[in-house]
Structures are given as C-alpha cells and as structure tokens.
Amino acid sequence: MHARRAVLTLAGGLMLSGCLGAVPFQPRAYDEAVRVEAVDVAFARDGAGALTLKLQVKNPSSDAASLTRVDFDLRVDGRRVATGEQVMGVPLDGGGAVPLEVRFPLAVPRGGGRLEAGSHAVRLEGGVVLRFGGSERRAPFRDARSLDIAWMPGGEPRPAP
C-alpha cells in the first residue's frame, strides 16, 4: 500500500510541475539566475558619473521570458552612492542565457566631489526582473569588489534622467 501511495505522489508531482511551465516552482532557481561579471564606477568633476554592469542572465524556466528591467543599489566605502532602475525588453529563450551590459548614467552634484584616488570598496545589490506571460519574478544579484575610483561625489547622486 505504501509503494502505491509513493507512485501516486510522484505522478501527481510530475503533473504539477508540467502545469507550472512558465515560472519554476523552486524560488531558489532565481537566486542563481544572474551572475555579475564586471562592474565599473566612474565620476567626473563636471557632475557626470556612470555605473556600468556586465551581467550573465540565465532563464531558470523552460519557457521563454522577457527581461523587463534591472535595478541596483550602489555603495562605495559603506556609503550609499546611487540607486536606480532601467527598463528594457530583452527576449530570453527557455533555459537560455544572455550576456547583458547595462549603463546607468549618474548625476553628481557639482562641487560636491573630492579627489580620492585609490582603491575603494564597492558593494552592489540589485535584481533582474523576468516576465513570463502575465507574471514576473525578480532574480537578485550581489557583488563586492575593490575598484580604483579617482573622483568621489560628496553628496547623494541620483540617476540621470
């Protein structure tokens, strides 16, 4: 009797996983869907700044998705420097992966910077939102590294319009 119950449970599980299709049942699949390959942060005395990310995004589902947006929170030496979001529409095949380069222009208050040539601790957190038909899932990413940044903003910059 126990063997029969186990077979029925297994068959029910297979049917359930087939019904989910577009969105993987395992939420942890999204924790490993985005890999940060490169980060570049630069600020200039004229108020211009940029965050450039190179990501590898993998679709954890067997169904096609659309990569709809990327968001980020950037900290340098423990201080929040910028947050932002970029909307996009990148198709992603089921089970496929795509390299993605995203550039976030940053607006830095003029005169609010200081010369601080050298290595700085950069911590980046964010997410990539994947849309499967009518549902969306956010795949988070984190990265911490040391970068050479010559000019640092003095105030809280914001994403440029």
Side-chain angles (χ1 to χ4, degrees), residues 11 36 62 76 79 128 135 146 152:
V36 178
S62 59
V76 178
R79 183 174 51 105
V128 173
S135 64
S146 182
M152 289 295 299

Side-chain angles (χ1 to χ4, degrees), residues 78-137:
R79 183 174 51 105
R80 176 178 280 149
V81 175
T83 60
E85 178 180 272
Q86 190 171 112
V87 175
M88 44 191 38
V90 177
L92 188 54
D93 291 336
V98 63
L100 184 68
E101 183 169 320
V102 186
R103 182 177 160 88
F104 295 97
L106 305 172
V108 180
R110 288 182 184 239
R114 59 197 180 280
L115 186 61
E116 285 191 27
S119 185
H120 295 272
V122 174
R123 182 171 171 79
L124 180 71
E125 293 186 16
V128 173
V129 177
L130 299 172
R131 176 174 289 153
F132 301 90
S135 64
E136 290 186 337
R137 291 290 182 119

Side-chain angles (χ1 to χ4, degrees), residues 41-76:
V41 178
F43 297 104
R45 294 177 193 226
D46 69 355
L51 166 65
T52 305
L53 298 178
K54 289 185 181 178
L55 306 171
Q56 184 70 24
V57 182
K58 183 178 186 314
N59 183 349
S61 171
S62 59
D63 289 350
S66 178
L67 196 154
T68 60
R69 65 185 179 273
V70 177
D71 62 71
F72 74 94
D73 180 76
L74 175 66
R75 295 177 184 269
V76 178

